[in-house]
Amino acid sequence: MAGPSLMDSFFQRSLDDLIKGIRLCLPGGEAAFIAKSVDEIRREIKSTDSQTKATALQKLTYLHSLHWVDMSWAAFPAVELSSSSVHSHKRLALLSASLSFNPTTDVILLLTHQLRKDFSSSNPHDVSLALSTLSSISTLDLSRDLTPELFILLNSSKNFVKKKAIAAILRVFEQYPEAVRVCFKRIVENLESSDMGVLSAAVGLFCELTVREPRSYLPLAPEFYKILLDSRNNWVLIKVLKIFAKLAPLEPRLAKRIVEPICEHLRRTGSKSLAFECVNTIVTSLSEHEPAVKLAIMKIQEFLLENDPNLKYLGLQALAVVAAKHSWAVLENKEVVIKSLDDVDVNIKLESLQLVMAMVSEDNLAEICKVLISYALKSEPEFCNEILGSILSTCSRNFYEVIVDFDWYVSLLGEMSRIPHCQKGDDIETQLIDIGMRVKDVRLELVHVARGLLIDPALLGNPFIHNVLSAAAWLSGEYVEFSRNLLELMESLLQPRTCLLPSPIRAVYIQSAFKVLTFGVYSFLSTGDDASYPSELTDFVLKEDFQESSETVTSAPISGADLSNGLNPRSSHPSAGNGEDPVIAHEQTSSASSKKQQLTQKSVMDLVNLVEVNLGPLAGSHEVEIQERASNILGMIGMIKPRIHSSMDESEGDRIKRELRASGMMKLMFDAFSEELGPVSVSAQERVPIPEGLVLKESLSDIEAICDHIKLPISSSFSLVRSHSLNNATTIHEHPSKEEYEPSSESTSLLAEHRKRHGIYYLSSENKVMISDDYPPALELKDQAIDEAEDLVKLTKQSLDLRKKRNQAKPRPVVVKLDDGEGAHIVVKKPQLKDDLISGAVREVLLGNEAASSSSNKAIKKREKNELNIDRPESNITMTSTVASEPGNASSRHKLRISGKEKKRSSSGKEKKEHDHKHNQKSDRIHAKHKSRQRADGTLNVAAQSPVIPDFLL
Amino acid sequence: MIHFVLLISRQGKVRLTKWYSPYSQKERTKVIRELSGMILSRGPKLCNFVEWRGYKVVYKRYASLYFCMCIDQDDNELEVLEIIHHFVEILDRYFGSVCELDLIFNFHKAYYILDEILIAGELQESSKKTVARLIAAQDSLVEQAKEQASTISNMIAQATK
């Protein structure tokens, strides 16, 4: 490769040439041109001529910042050029460094020396350039090495250098919190600077720091307060207001002091940005001060009525903040808010939607939903779904708290899913099923709504509401006793267009058809001949047909669990004797005519035939879920059909035998399906006592030896017949629950094996894992239910009873809630290490604790405190600790707050006590000193006991 | 705090980017793609703010250029609009009724000016006059250097090095 020649220097393309070249490129040719230019640059940048090098670097920087060309390879030339004595070259080099360097750039360390030199340059422009660069590329090393120079610059006589140093130091603090110890005092001093630039930079810096960790900066409140009163510069005031917005919630007395000046600014100012900031501060941090809030809301109203969309948007936003505590504010502006739903701007629409939802109460819910749905119908898809989403989330909030009339809500859900743009199928599905399980009284209406959805073939073509259909199918299967017309329901479940459904949902359809069929046939059989068969025979039949029923039972919870998103499978709640009772009751509720219709032999035959014809082809489906369920139904039909068919022409003995078999089996099947599903608490399992003799701590590794010889039936079977034979061979005489144990014990042993091998990767507490592995499945056939399951039933009953008691007073239907914080989220706050370090250092500087090494420690050392006092004698500082909370005549609320604080802070008690003690002595002394100045209204003691703020403010 | 400044033309071409928070190159291109899609599609007469990934982006269109700044949730949108306007006025004063081409061919100068206005994502100079004076002073330094460098003797000295 030829080195750069003189010719290169003379005929080098300038930046202008490069840009023109790119602009002249034909579409598509740009990349090639850029690649060619980069090749040129690679050559040129090696030139010994600094002008050539600089131009090359400039071109590369251009390509990097606007065409994303990689320039990490050119980091060294940039460093090289940064030492140029020619200012323009230095400027270019540092520009390219600040645009392209990142913390992984290795040559960044080579820049340290140059920056240090520039910091002490006599040319202020060099200094300023270096500061800008440092602020963009600061790393830990750079920050640490340059802190001493920055410290000097903080005292520069040139204000424009000083202000840049202050601004840049934020980045240094972030990288190297130790710098706070060195530089902090000098920065604090600048809060009293008379130069607007310097002051603005200092306030800006504190604003950034305060946002991250407000508490540390409380001691600086007097300085900020002074700026708030004296400054007339809007930029500075906005920042100070931001600082106070963070500080005020920490110290109620501070809020009292600042409220008036802020209102004053709000009244006085003509600047919209300042006014908005005042409003913001009031609504977020001073919402307890009624007059201020009123003033702020007046201002918000002004904003809302202006034509400026910006002000309208911000006004709505501010209103949303107020709404949490002062809902009247929203109601007062109801008209504007609702009109804004029709705004041209989506952002404004969203804000107003949020506000509308904030206005919702029990009384106006239906009205608001009506308005919203009408807006949803005429909106574009995106916003339409926003509306639907917020209706859904508002209505379901806190277990449907706002809903009184569930019939209305359920039909609203149905209506919503029919809105053409609706994409909220998932949410509607969840809520339909959830309501079905929680609210008994609404099931009739639910089934009615579900029917409406199922019989409409058009809906099957809309993939967005497939989930809703799945819920509808499940509901009409689960609560089939409320259906008026079984044949119609079955037809809609098996209609040809169901092939458009994805297979898991289709499986739900088929499972529901199964339930409907079971219900139909069973009611026919049980009313046809009022069963009076001998009990031994029934038992025989029971045993004989056990396989089928266990089969269905095992498959039922699968679909149930799929649907209900984690709600547990059936609890074996209705006890043995009264299995039929609910049916009879339900039958009575449905109209007499439909009952007759259901029960004629012909209609049952129609039902059976319908199912058989439609599901026949599906037994060969490639989808296991579908195939399995279809086969289940077909198998059952195979057994019951002869009975219904030949009820007339058959010999007496055969007839009875078949009849018994069939109706016994149907009863079992029916019982299995009629067990009620209910919501189960997330902690239900934990409350079940561990069965006696179950040793959880014991290693399970030897279980493999026990299980080894047992051939496991793998995931039930694909057809009824096969499962029969398989089970016959293995476990037919076993306890039924054994069957369900095995897969889990196998996986347990595998798990144990895995744990043995990779033990170190497991969590040490094995308790919970074991419980969930070994606990007998929640689902049991009630005849064979073992003790543990009964315990569970008891538990469920208990909690049900509790719930009933609680809800008795309410006029609306009972909504089943679990009493132990269902769905509660535990938010773990991640501490931000760097910020912690900064604020820790700040506290140490401000509160003068040398000894404390961790940021959560707060204490006072007399010596340093005095120093601070000497620094600013005019501000009458009494430094006191935040953590002190001895009883005094501080307001009780304040005390509460403080003790809450203490809880949060889990620092060591001993240390704290010690410090508190020290602090008390000290503040007593200070008291004596300042007594004459303090007001007589009792703040004196307050200041002594639990203050954070120097008494200048209080 | 301002996290980044973007200048995007109406056609979606990027004219200036300045990042005050760490973003990798990959993220940067993604951010620009996302935001230009969001902002350019917004009509006139709408509000100048968009919510984006938990941040707020304040933008304003001047002629064919969109000036965008990304800020934190609790920052003041109106203030940022004023900063944008401040920046535009200074550019206007410096270039003499600035147009997109000025910024294209003098991209580095646009950066220098921005650096005088913002540092570490904070407004540092609210006086237009001061910024203009500082930029002029720096330019004169450059001019001096150029005069020196372009003397023939200097070039010969360079060439024969």
Side-chain angles (χ1 to χ4, degrees):
Chain A
M1 189 171 149
S5 66
L6 188 61
M7 294 311 270
D8 280 332
S9 305
F10 276 115
F11 297 103
Q12 184 185 24
R13 272 189 231 247
S14 69
L15 177 67
D16 276 16
D17 299 336
L18 174 77
I19 295 171
K20 279 179 191 151
I22 292 175
R23 288 171 67 79
L24 285 175
C25 274
L26 296 168
E30 203 180 275
F33 182 80
I34 289 175
K36 197 173 138 247
S37 308
V38 172
D39 283 344
E40 272 173 25
I41 291 167
R42 272 180 200 275
R43 209 155 8 107
E44 292 162 10
I45 214 160
K46 290 188 189 125
S47 164
T48 48
D49 174 29
S50 67
Q51 181 58 45
T52 314
K53 198 191 270 289
T55 308
L57 192 63
Q58 187 184 29
K59 289 193 288 184
L60 189 57
T61 310
Y62 176 84
L63 292 176
H64 169 76
S65 81
L66 300 181
H67 295 274
W68 323 118
V69 169
D70 172 50
M71 66 174 291
S72 52
W73 52 272
F76 186 70
V79 173
E80 236 180 346
L81 209 59
S82 72
S83 62
S84 164
S85 58
V86 183
H87 185 74
S88 67
H89 293 172
K90 184 195 284 296
R91 196 148 77 140
L92 270 176
L94 291 180
L95 174 67
S96 97
S98 68
L99 289 178
S100 70
F101 283 14
N102 60 48
T104 58
T105 308
D106 42 6
V107 295
I108 216 165
L109 279 179
L110 299 178
L111 210 54
T112 319
H113 178 65
Q114 186 54 43
L115 288 177
R116 186 178 290 143
K117 231 166 96 187
D118 286 343
F119 280 157
S120 43
S121 160
S122 59
N123 182 348
H125 297 294
D126 284 350
V127 185
S128 118
L129 207 52
L131 283 169
S132 295
T133 312
L134 178 65
S135 80
S136 325
I137 60 169
S138 65
T139 62
L140 172 61
D141 291 324
L142 274 183
S143 304
R144 189 188 49 226
D145 297 343
L146 294 174
T147 298
E149 279 74 25
L150 271 175
F151 178 69
I152 297 168
L153 288 180
L154 286 175
N155 230 8
S156 165
S157 59
K158 293 192 180 65
N159 280 333
F160 107 93
V161 168
K162 202 192 221 176
K163 102 195 157 191
K164 281 202 177 186
I166 294 172
I169 212 155
L170 174 65
R171 296 289 184 242
V172 173
F173 284 175
E174 279 169 1
Q175 298 293 333
Y176 179 62
E178 284 295 299
V180 173
R181 282 175 225 278
V182 182
C183 304
F184 200 72
K185 267 184 208 161
R186 282 216 169 150
I187 298 170
V188 172
E189 282 160 21
N190 282 314
L191 283 175
E192 281 158 20
S193 169
S194 56
D195 181 83
M196 223 15 102
V198 174
L199 180 65
S200 164
V203 174
L205 173 67
F206 279 112
C207 182
E208 272 311 303
L209 291 172
T210 314
V211 167
R212 294 167 202 205
E213 214 291 307
R215 194 169 296 279
S216 313
Y217 305 94
L218 265 176
L220 290 174
E223 279 80 1
F224 297 139
Y225 185 68
K226 202 156 161 274
I227 299 170
L228 180 70
L229 290 187
D230 297 346
S231 181
R232 283 291 171 271
N233 180 313
N234 290 345
W235 305 99
V236 172
L237 281 174
I238 288 175
K239 297 277 178 217
V240 169
L241 284 170
K242 276 192 193 308
I243 294 174
F244 277 122
K246 296 286 173 214
L247 296 186
L250 301 175
E251 179 50 79
R253 289 164 306 155
L254 177 62
K256 243 180 257 167
R257 287 299 298 253
I258 57 171
V259 109
E260 211 20 66
I262 292 178
C263 289
E264 192 45 47
H265 281 304
L266 184 54
R267 282 185 213 108
R268 170 193 65 83
T269 185
S271 147
K272 291 276 186 283
S273 55
L274 180 58
F276 175 62
E277 195 59 48
C278 291
V279 167
N280 236 349
T281 310
I282 292 173
V283 298
T284 53
S285 306
L286 303 169
S287 56
E288 263 111 61
H289 298 260
E290 203 73 26
V293 172
K294 281 204 175 115
L295 184 67
I297 287 171
M298 260 170 56
K299 202 79 194 174
I300 293 175
Q301 265 162 347
E302 275 175 39
F303 282 4
L304 290 179
L305 296 175
E306 297 236 12
N307 269 332
D308 186 348
N310 287 339
L311 294 179
K312 198 169 179 186
Y313 175 76
L314 296 176
L316 290 173
Q317 253 186 355
L319 212 51
V321 179
V322 193
K325 280 183 184 158
H326 304 271
S327 50
W328 55 268
V330 190
L331 289 173
E332 227 167 65
N333 296 292
K334 198 168 151 190
E335 239 174 81
V336 193
V337 172
I338 293 197
K339 259 190 207 152
S340 306
L341 278 178
D342 231 359
D343 202 276
V344 279
D345 192 338
V346 185
N347 292 355
I348 292 181
K349 284 203 241 186
L350 287 176
E351 285 302 323
S352 70
L353 176 62
Q354 203 191 335
L355 276 171
V356 169
M357 290 334 280
M359 286 193 275
V360 163
S361 71
E362 279 181 19
D363 311 318
N364 58 16
L365 179 66
E367 186 196 343
I368 287 182
C369 286
K370 206 174 129 200
V371 174
L372 285 181
I373 294 280
S374 70
Y375 273 106
L377 281 168
K378 62 181 179 183
S379 304
E380 67 275 29
E382 203 179 323
F383 188 60
C384 168
N385 280 301
E386 286 291 343
I387 294 182
L388 298 183
S390 55
I391 293 179
L392 287 170
S393 63
T394 308
C395 290
S396 63
R397 194 173 52 207
N398 204 1
F399 304 107
Y400 313 95
E401 183 176 59
V402 288
I403 296 171
V404 178
D405 183 358
F406 275 90
D407 285 354
W408 162 80
Y409 184 56
V410 167
S411 48
L412 178 75
L413 287 177
E415 202 183 314
M416 277 162 70
S417 48
R418 284 166 182 276
I419 292 177
H421 298 310
C422 173
Q423 294 172 9
K424 294 282 170 191
D426 291 359
D427 296 335
I428 298 178
E429 175 198 19
T430 316
Q431 290 198 14
L432 281 175
I433 291 172
D434 195 39
I435 292 175
M437 286 195 283
R438 287 180 193 275
V439 191
K440 271 199 180 130
D441 301 1
V442 80
R443 287 176 189 165
L444 180 65
E445 179 65 21
L446 264 177
V447 170
H448 181 65
V449 169
R451 171 188 168 271
L453 293 169
L454 289 176
I455 59 172
D456 187 349
L459 294 181
L460 286 164
N462 178 359
F464 288 119
I465 64 163
H466 280 169
N467 281 334
V468 182
L469 293 177
S470 150
W474 184 82
L475 287 167
S476 31
E478 186 63 23
Y479 306 118
V480 59
E481 62 267 18
F482 295 105
S483 282
R484 297 224 174 84
N485 188 341
L486 290 187
L487 196 60
E488 180 201 68
L489 176 59
M490 191 62 97
E491 270 170 350
S492 54
L493 283 174
L494 297 172
Q495 61 183 296
R497 272 172 73 92
T498 51
C499 62
L500 295 171
L501 292 169
S503 59
I505 294 177
R506 206 161 180 208
V508 174
Y509 266 65
I510 297 171
Q511 187 69 21
S512 294
F514 195 0
K515 291 177 185 172
V516 173
L517 182 69
T518 310
F519 177 79
V521 174
Y522 177 72
S523 4
F524 168 67
L525 290 179
S526 59
T527 44
D529 35 30
D530 261 349
S532 57
Y533 28 76
S535 56
E536 323 92 71
L537 262 174
T538 323
D539 284 348
F540 169 74
V541 174
L542 277 176
K543 263 187 199 140
E544 182 92 323
D545 291 327
F546 171 68
Q547 287 314 319
E548 278 89 352
S549 43
S550 71
E551 192 67 33
T552 36
V553 174
T554 40
S555 57
I558 294 169
S559 64
D562 283 346
L563 281 167
S564 55
N565 286 338
L567 285 164
N568 272 16
R570 289 152 200 265
S571 57
S572 35
H573 170 50
S575 53
N578 56 15
E580 289 141 287
D581 293 348
V583 194
I584 292 160
H586 295 321
E587 275 170 0
Q588 280 160 353
T589 57
S590 52
S591 69
S593 63
S594 71
K595 186 178 161 193
K596 254 182 211 158
Q597 198 189 350
Q598 282 172 25
L599 297 180
T600 62
Q601 190 198 9
K602 189 181 168 297
S603 66
V604 172
M605 246 1 259
D606 283 350
L607 198 63
V608 172
N609 286 333
L610 179 70
V611 177
E612 200 172 16
V613 169
N614 279 293
L615 291 185
L618 290 181
S621 164
H622 293 299
E623 297 288 343
V624 218
E625 293 282 311
I626 295 176
Q627 188 205 41
E628 184 182 352
R629 284 175 170 78
S631 306
N632 282 348
I633 305 187
L634 292 173
M636 188 183 78
I637 290 176
M639 299 196 65
I640 56 171
K641 211 177 170 187
R643 151 76 179 97
I644 307 167
H645 235 336
S646 55
S647 58
M648 283 170 286
D649 48 68
E650 226 175 44
S651 73
E652 197 67 0
D654 273 2
R655 215 193 114 189
I656 288 178
K657 203 182 163 197
R658 278 183 190 283
E659 191 175 290
L660 288 181
R661 268 181 70 99
S663 48
M665 184 191 75
M666 286 315 294
K667 179 177 179 327
L668 247 177
M669 199 85 88
F670 178 77
D671 285 348
F673 283 140
S674 60
E675 281 166 9
E676 185 150 329
L677 290 176
V680 174
S681 154
V682 275
S683 61
Q685 197 151 42
E686 284 164 25
R687 282 184 285 166
V688 177
I690 296 167
E692 264 177 61
L694 180 64
V695 189
L696 290 175
K697 295 265 159 87
E698 207 171 76
S699 165
L700 292 173
S701 54
D702 50 342
I703 210 162
E704 204 170 284
I706 306 168
C707 301
D708 228 14
H709 62 279
I710 301 175
K711 178 109 172 96
L712 295 160
I714 300 154
S715 70
S716 288
S717 58
F718 297 109
S719 77
L720 208 65
V721 185
R722 249 185 75 202
S723 90
H724 219 286
S725 58
L726 229 173
N727 288 334
N728 266 335
T730 55
T731 55
I732 186 136
H733 300 298
E734 297 273 358
H735 192 280
S737 55
K738 177 83 180 169
E739 214 180 311
E740 302 189 4
Y741 262 126
E742 277 161 9
S744 83
S745 59
E746 188 203 35
S747 58
T748 314
S749 67
L750 284 176
L751 190 69
E753 183 68 14
H754 191 263
R755 180 191 285 272
K756 215 167 136 194
R757 235 179 291 153
H758 308 282
I760 47 166
Y761 303 112
Y762 277 84
L763 291 174
S764 57
S765 77
E766 36 191 47
N767 257 355
K768 284 196 178 165
V769 183
M770 292 311 196
I771 287 174
S772 60
D773 276 351
D774 281 14
Y775 180 71
L779 170 85
E780 295 286 349
L781 276 179
K782 48 187 179 268
D783 335 41
Q784 285 100 359
I786 50 172
D787 292 348
E788 285 78 17
E790 272 166 15
D791 284 342
L792 182 65
V793 173
K794 272 183 215 154
L795 274 173
T796 330
K797 268 187 187 160
Q798 276 166 11
S799 54
L800 267 169
D801 289 344
L802 272 176
R803 272 172 247 139
K804 270 176 193 153
K805 261 177 228 158
R806 201 207 281 160
N807 285 325
Q808 253 166 9
K810 291 194 178 177
R812 62 187 202 125
V814 178
V815 180
V816 178
K817 288 183 211 170
L818 297 165
D819 37 29
D820 55 348
E822 205 179 320
H825 296 288
I826 302 155
V827 183
V828 184
K829 201 188 156 203
K830 276 191 188 168
Q832 282 176 304
L833 188 65
K834 277 271 162 72
D835 289 350
D836 253 21
L837 289 174
I838 296 180
S839 54
V842 168
R843 276 187 203 147
E844 281 168 36
V845 175
L846 280 175
L847 301 173
N849 178 20
E850 278 181 335
S853 53
S854 98
S855 62
S856 61
N857 275 337
K858 242 192 228 181
I860 286 168
K861 273 223 166 166
K862 197 170 147 196
R863 190 166 41 82
E864 290 216 1
K865 190 211 73 187
N866 286 344
E867 258 174 49
L868 263 177
N869 264 345
I870 291 160
D871 283 347
R872 284 160 291 146
E874 72 280 9
S875 59
N876 307 341
I877 287 181
T878 37
M879 272 299 174
T880 39
S881 142
T882 346
V883 286
S885 65
E886 281 89 342
N889 57 357
S891 72
S892 61
R893 202 186 63 224
H894 182 61
K895 259 191 281 175
L896 257 176
R897 241 173 38 74
I898 296 262
S899 61
K901 248 186 274 164
E902 284 224 321
K903 259 179 230 158
K904 266 184 251 160
R905 205 167 297 158
S906 59
S907 57
S908 61
K910 266 186 201 168
E911 231 176 6
K912 218 190 285 173
K913 258 185 211 160
E914 216 180 275
H915 291 315
D916 284 355
H917 187 61
K918 241 188 241 171
H919 143 71
N920 277 344
Q921 290 178 340
K922 207 179 328 146
S923 54
D924 282 348
R925 234 174 293 147
I926 288 158
H927 255 197
K929 214 158 68 186
H930 292 292
K931 211 163 192 169
S932 57
R933 276 192 228 165
Q934 273 164 352
R935 262 154 270 142
D937 60 352
T939 45
L940 183 143
N941 283 332
V942 179
Q945 251 95 40
S946 52
V948 186
I949 313 286
D951 65 351
F952 168 75
L953 264 182
L954 302 168
Chain B
M1 182 187 123
I2 297 167
H3 293 282
F4 52 80
V5 177
L6 294 182
L7 265 64
I8 306 173
S9 78
R10 215 167 37 159
Q11 289 79 30
K13 293 252 185 220
V14 182
R15 295 304 180 206
L16 182 144
T17 59
K18 176 83 187 177
W19 309 84
Y20 296 102
S21 293
Y23 287 87
S24 72
Q25 194 61 57
K26 221 176 174 183
E27 287 167 328
R28 290 179 183 185
T29 33
K30 195 164 164 242
V31 165
I32 292 173
R33 209 181 320 120
E34 258 176 55
L35 279 180
S36 52
M38 262 168 96
I39 289 170
L40 298 182
S41 65
R42 282 175 66 82
K45 289 186 183 169
L46 303 185
C47 71
N48 294 109
F49 323 121
V50 287
E51 301 265 338
W52 172 79
R53 293 199 204 167
Y55 296 103
K56 297 189 286 198
V57 177
V58 179
Y59 72 92
K60 191 155 167 75
R61 184 176 159 183
Y62 289 90
S64 58
L65 269 188
Y66 285 85
F67 289 69
C68 319
M69 293 188 181
C70 172
I71 52 172
D72 284 318
Q73 255 325 312
D74 49 5
D75 276 330
N76 187 326
E77 290 96 333
L78 295 175
E79 181 199 12
V80 177
L81 270 182
E82 281 167 25
I83 294 178
I84 291 179
H85 192 68
H86 184 63
F87 180 39
V88 174
E89 278 187 328
I90 290 169
L91 287 175
D92 202 49
R93 200 175 281 194
Y94 181 81
F95 289 107
S97 84
V98 66
C99 68
E100 199 181 330
L101 277 181
D102 289 325
L103 297 184
I104 293 172
F105 284 101
N106 297 288
F107 87 102
H108 50 295
K109 288 189 176 161
Y111 277 113
Y112 297 147
I113 293 174
L114 187 62
D115 278 347
E116 289 303 327
I117 298 171
L118 296 177
I119 183 167
E122 295 287 332
L123 179 79
Q124 58 150 330
E125 185 51 71
S126 54
S127 152
K128 290 176 210 102
K129 245 189 212 158
T130 315
V131 175
R133 191 165 46 76
L134 287 171
I135 297 285
Q138 286 168 24
D139 281 351
S140 72
L141 277 178
V142 174
E143 286 306 316
Q144 283 169 19
K146 255 191 199 153
E147 274 164 28
Q148 220 177 12
S150 58
T151 53
I152 304 260
S153 58
N154 208 313
M155 281 165 104
I156 290 169
Q158 285 283 338
T160 50
K161 230 185 230 173

